[in-house]
Amino acid sequence: MADVAEKAGVSRALVSIIFRNQAGASRETRERVLRVADEIGYRPDSAARLLARGRSRTLGVMFTVQQTFHTDLITGIYPEAERLGYDVLLSGATHGRSEAKAVEALLSHRCEAVILLGPDAEPDYLAELGQRTVAVSISRRVPQAHVDFVHSAEGKGVRQAMDHLVELGHRRIVHIDGGRGPGSAERRRAYRAAMRRHGLQTQARVIPGEHTEESGVETGRLLLAERDDGRPLPTAVLAGNDRCAMGLLMSLTRAGVEVPRDLSVVGYDDSHLSHLMPLGLTTVRQDAFLMAEHAVRFAVERLENGELPPREAVLDPKLVVRGTSGPVPAEDHRVPS
């Protein structure tokens, strides 16, 4: 014990010499300190050294705890940040913790830039944030803000999904709106445009919702109640995102509706949970890793050159067909007896 204490004392007394003023220590002293530090498991505080030079080399990431797609984005952010020599600090927004509070926590921890995953904050706040620090938004575009933006081509993804359903014979296709969720407005517009393009505008129907499982469950209950009142189920539903689609699937299957025999369901995101279900979800894939890489590079490049104008990266989505979409059901499957 005395030997350990002596070594610890030596390291405390000399660590500052070797790690803060290496030029002032002899080679013998440096080697002794390094040897003792290794024996007691000491590691230099690289964060403190960076802060002493006015840099933290840390990227802050604001995410929403309940959003599974944000987990996929975070998984892609880490390796790209590490490749460029940056650490990552996470701060989550929940029902009881606002996005603004999550962001301010990151800034208080000296993050040099913030990456916002699907932010729902007011445009004025994002514009003000872009003036205070380097900021990148994934999936949410704020044209007036000095913020870089990374998203997928929402309209192209919806068109792929709608063409797929129409080719399968579907005509009564309902869309569950994502409310204020990122990409919702673009997806809603693309759905209506696709219905018009296929000559189905009179059957277009947008059901208000959110990017949550609860929204999908509530939509399922609504459609089932309408069926019980004599109205046929739609033949297909395009959900605002995968979480909403999964809630819809739960609601329908509990009521005995077979997917896709009775009704087809398509999601959006291709989050990691979409292909872990017993019946894989047909969905529009956003490349989370590529989106994450662009966001990290945008942040780092702006840290190196603050005069860069706001930039936008638009990535191509891709429809992934799995088990929840199939041919339009026979009439006796759609209309209750």
Side-chain angles (χ1 to χ4, degrees), residues 291-309:
M291 295 173 81
E293 289 174 3
H294 274 80
V296 171
R297 285 202 295 270
F298 275 180
V300 172
E301 289 168 5
R302 187 171 295 283
L303 286 171
E304 296 172 353
N305 181 6
E307 300 303 316
L308 287 171

Side-chain angles (χ1 to χ4, degrees), residues 117-136:
L117 308 188
D120 190 37
E122 293 296 329
D124 288 347
Y125 173 76
L126 296 179
E128 185 269 336
L129 179 65
Q131 295 299 321
R132 283 195 289 146
T133 189
V134 171
V136 182

Side-chain angles (χ1 to χ4, degrees), residues 249 259-260 263-267 277 279-283 322-326:
L249 288 170
V259 176
L263 185 149
S264 290
V265 176
V266 178
M277 303 165 55
L279 185 64
L281 178 66
T282 294
T283 184
R322 297 194 180 98
T324 59
S325 60

